[in-house]
PDB file of all heavy atoms in Angstrom:
ATOM      1  N   HIS A   9      93.210 140.244 143.584  1.00  0.00           N
ATOM      2  CA  HIS A   9      92.877 139.005 142.868  1.00  0.00           C
ATOM      3  C   HIS A   9      94.031 138.566 141.975  1.00  0.00           C
ATOM      4  O   HIS A   9      94.442 137.406 141.979  1.00  0.00           O
ATOM      5  CB  HIS A   9      91.609 139.230 142.030  1.00  0.00           C
ATOM      6  CG  HIS A   9      91.259 138.061 141.169  1.00  0.00           C
ATOM      7  ND1 HIS A   9      90.754 136.880 141.688  1.00  0.00           N
ATOM      8  CD2 HIS A   9      91.366 137.879 139.819  1.00  0.00           C
ATOM      9  CE1 HIS A   9      90.546 136.027 140.694  1.00  0.00           C
ATOM     10  NE2 HIS A   9      90.897 136.600 139.559  1.00  0.00           N
ATOM     11  N   ALA A  23     106.493 123.909 143.483  1.00  0.00           N
ATOM     12  CA  ALA A  23     106.174 122.498 143.712  1.00  0.00           C
ATOM     13  C   ALA A  23     106.760 121.628 142.601  1.00  0.00           C
ATOM     14  O   ALA A  23     107.332 120.559 142.864  1.00  0.00           O
ATOM     15  CB  ALA A  23     104.659 122.316 143.798  1.00  0.00           C
ATOM     16  N   GLU A  37     123.193 120.546 163.715  1.00  0.00           N
ATOM     17  CA  GLU A  37     123.857 120.203 164.982  1.00  0.00           C
ATOM     18  C   GLU A  37     124.456 118.796 164.834  1.00  0.00           C
ATOM     19  O   GLU A  37     125.238 118.551 163.925  1.00  0.00           O
ATOM     20  CB  GLU A  37     122.871 120.322 166.146  1.00  0.00           C
ATOM     21  CG  GLU A  37     122.367 121.749 166.330  1.00  0.00           C
ATOM     22  CD  GLU A  37     121.385 121.879 167.477  1.00  0.00           C
ATOM     23  OE1 GLU A  37     120.364 121.159 167.476  1.00  0.00           O
ATOM     24  OE2 GLU A  37     121.635 122.719 168.354  1.00  0.00           O
ATOM     25  N   ASP A  58     114.436 112.822 158.640  1.00  0.00           N
ATOM     26  CA  ASP A  58     115.459 112.158 159.444  1.00  0.00           C
ATOM     27  C   ASP A  58     115.411 110.644 159.237  1.00  0.00           C
ATOM     28  O   ASP A  58     115.954 109.890 160.036  1.00  0.00           O
ATOM     29  CB  ASP A  58     115.301 112.501 160.925  1.00  0.00           C
ATOM     30  CG  ASP A  58     113.957 112.019 161.497  1.00  0.00           C
ATOM     31  OD1 ASP A  58     113.129 111.494 160.723  1.00  0.00           O
ATOM     32  OD2 ASP A  58     113.741 112.160 162.713  1.00  0.00           O
ATOM     33  N   ARG A  75     106.642 136.968 158.603  1.00  0.00           N
ATOM     34  CA  ARG A  75     107.480 136.255 159.562  1.00  0.00           C
ATOM     35  C   ARG A  75     108.804 136.974 159.781  1.00  0.00           C
ATOM     36  O   ARG A  75     109.327 137.016 160.903  1.00  0.00           O
ATOM     37  CB  ARG A  75     107.731 134.821 159.101  1.00  0.00           C
ATOM     38  CG  ARG A  75     108.480 133.987 160.143  1.00  0.00           C
ATOM     39  CD  ARG A  75     108.688 132.552 159.668  1.00  0.00           C
ATOM     40  NE  ARG A  75     107.435 131.901 159.370  1.00  0.00           N
ATOM     41  CZ  ARG A  75     107.347 130.653 158.878  1.00  0.00           C
ATOM     42  NH1 ARG A  75     108.465 129.950 158.652  1.00  0.00           N
ATOM     43  NH2 ARG A  75     106.177 130.112 158.626  1.00  0.00           N
ATOM     44  N   LEU A  97     122.157 131.083 151.705  1.00  0.00           N
ATOM     45  CA  LEU A  97     122.711 130.287 152.797  1.00  0.00           C
ATOM     46  C   LEU A  97     122.545 128.791 152.558  1.00  0.00           C
ATOM     47  O   LEU A  97     123.448 127.997 152.841  1.00  0.00           O
ATOM     48  CB  LEU A  97     122.029 130.668 154.118  1.00  0.00           C
ATOM     49  CG  LEU A  97     122.356 132.046 154.710  1.00  0.00           C
ATOM     50  CD1 LEU A  97     121.472 132.315 155.919  1.00  0.00           C
ATOM     51  CD2 LEU A  97     123.832 132.118 155.100  1.00  0.00           C
ATOM     52  N   GLY A 119     105.485 119.345 168.437  1.00  0.00           N
ATOM     53  CA  GLY A 119     104.381 118.421 168.232  1.00  0.00           C
ATOM     54  C   GLY A 119     104.761 117.401 167.186  1.00  0.00           C
ATOM     55  O   GLY A 119     105.810 116.757 167.258  1.00  0.00           O
ATOM     56  N   GLY A 121     105.377 118.366 164.196  1.00  0.00           N
ATOM     57  CA  GLY A 121     106.193 119.121 163.261  1.00  0.00           C
ATOM     58  C   GLY A 121     107.624 119.280 163.753  1.00  0.00           C
ATOM     59  O   GLY A 121     108.059 118.672 164.728  1.00  0.00           O
ATOM     60  N   LEU A 126     117.382 129.495 162.524  1.00  0.00           N
ATOM     61  CA  LEU A 126     118.611 129.967 161.888  1.00  0.00           C
ATOM     62  C   LEU A 126     118.991 131.321 162.478  1.00  0.00           C
ATOM     63  O   LEU A 126     118.146 132.194 162.669  1.00  0.00           O
ATOM     64  CB  LEU A 126     118.407 130.102 160.373  1.00  0.00           C
ATOM     65  CG  LEU A 126     119.435 130.936 159.606  1.00  0.00           C
ATOM     66  CD1 LEU A 126     120.799 130.257 159.616  1.00  0.00           C
ATOM     67  CD2 LEU A 126     118.960 131.182 158.171  1.00  0.00           C
ATOM     68  N   PHE A 139     112.176 127.971 160.142  1.00  0.00           N
ATOM     69  CA  PHE A 139     111.445 127.124 159.199  1.00  0.00           C
ATOM     70  C   PHE A 139     110.474 126.282 160.029  1.00  0.00           C
ATOM     71  O   PHE A 139     110.891 125.357 160.748  1.00  0.00           O
ATOM     72  CB  PHE A 139     112.397 126.223 158.421  1.00  0.00           C
ATOM     73  CG  PHE A 139     113.379 126.954 157.552  1.00  0.00           C
ATOM     74  CD1 PHE A 139     114.641 127.272 158.032  1.00  0.00           C
ATOM     75  CD2 PHE A 139     113.041 127.332 156.260  1.00  0.00           C
ATOM     76  CE1 PHE A 139     115.553 127.948 157.243  1.00  0.00           C
ATOM     77  CE2 PHE A 139     113.947 128.007 155.458  1.00  0.00           C
ATOM     78  CZ  PHE A 139     115.206 128.317 155.939  1.00  0.00           C
ATOM     79  N   CYS A 155     108.147 106.476 145.561  1.00  0.00           N
ATOM     80  CA  CYS A 155     108.114 106.111 144.128  1.00  0.00           C
ATOM     81  C   CYS A 155     109.466 106.334 143.441  1.00  0.00           C
ATOM     82  O   CYS A 155     109.918 105.465 142.690  1.00  0.00           O
ATOM     83  CB  CYS A 155     107.005 106.881 143.419  1.00  0.00           C
ATOM     84  SG  CYS A 155     105.356 106.201 143.756  1.00  0.00           S
ATOM     85  N   LEU A 174     126.692  92.091 129.090  1.00  0.00           N
ATOM     86  CA  LEU A 174     127.890  92.589 128.419  1.00  0.00           C
ATOM     87  C   LEU A 174     129.119  91.779 128.831  1.00  0.00           C
ATOM     88  O   LEU A 174     129.967  91.446 127.988  1.00  0.00           O
ATOM     89  CB  LEU A 174     128.088  94.071 128.756  1.00  0.00           C
ATOM     90  CG  LEU A 174     129.323  94.749 128.141  1.00  0.00           C
ATOM     91  CD1 LEU A 174     129.247  94.719 126.625  1.00  0.00           C
ATOM     92  CD2 LEU A 174     129.436  96.187 128.633  1.00  0.00           C
ATOM     93  N   SER A 193     150.079  88.851 126.925  1.00  0.00           N
ATOM     94  CA  SER A 193     151.510  89.115 127.115  1.00  0.00           C
ATOM     95  C   SER A 193     151.884  89.090 128.598  1.00  0.00           C
ATOM     96  O   SER A 193     153.039  88.876 128.941  1.00  0.00           O
ATOM     97  CB  SER A 193     151.872  90.475 126.505  1.00  0.00           C
ATOM     98  OG  SER A 193     151.161  91.509 127.171  1.00  0.00           O
ATOM     99  N   SER A 251      99.463 115.573 129.623  1.00  0.00           N
ATOM    100  CA  SER A 251      98.566 116.726 129.743  1.00  0.00           C
ATOM    101  C   SER A 251      98.237 117.339 128.381  1.00  0.00           C
ATOM    102  O   SER A 251      97.148 117.857 128.169  1.00  0.00           O
ATOM    103  CB  SER A 251      99.198 117.784 130.648  1.00  0.00           C
ATOM    104  OG  SER A 251      99.434 117.255 131.943  1.00  0.00           O
ATOM    105  N   SER A 257      98.898 105.679 123.792  1.00  0.00           N
ATOM    106  CA  SER A 257      97.686 105.054 124.295  1.00  0.00           C
ATOM    107  C   SER A 257      97.925 103.657 124.828  1.00  0.00           C
ATOM    108  O   SER A 257      97.082 103.083 125.499  1.00  0.00           O
ATOM    109  CB  SER A 257      96.635 105.000 123.187  1.00  0.00           C
ATOM    110  OG  SER A 257      97.120 104.234 122.089  1.00  0.00           O
ATOM    111  N   GLU A 279     131.519 105.563 127.694  1.00  0.00           N
ATOM    112  CA  GLU A 279     132.307 105.005 126.617  1.00  0.00           C
ATOM    113  C   GLU A 279     132.501 103.525 126.850  1.00  0.00           C
ATOM    114  O   GLU A 279     132.728 103.070 127.967  1.00  0.00           O
ATOM    115  CB  GLU A 279     133.674 105.676 126.551  1.00  0.00           C
ATOM    116  CG  GLU A 279     133.598 107.145 126.198  1.00  0.00           C
ATOM    117  CD  GLU A 279     134.976 107.755 126.094  1.00  0.00           C
ATOM    118  OE1 GLU A 279     135.951 107.003 126.260  1.00  0.00           O
ATOM    119  OE2 GLU A 279     135.054 108.951 125.843  1.00  0.00           O
ATOM    120  N   SER A 323     111.880  88.757 136.178  1.00  0.00           N
ATOM    121  CA  SER A 323     111.569  87.409 135.703  1.00  0.00           C
ATOM    122  C   SER A 323     112.838  86.699 135.284  1.00  0.00           C
ATOM    123  O   SER A 323     113.846  87.304 135.019  1.00  0.00           O
ATOM    124  CB  SER A 323     110.598  87.495 134.532  1.00  0.00           C
ATOM    125  OG  SER A 323     111.148  88.281 133.508  1.00  0.00           O
TER     126      SER A 323
END
Side-chain angles (χ1 to χ4, degrees):
H9 175 72
E37 297 180 304
D58 62 356
R75 186 179 302 177
L97 289 173
L126 164 67
F139 297 93
C155 283
L174 179 62
S193 62
S251 300
S257 60
E279 295 182 2
S323 57

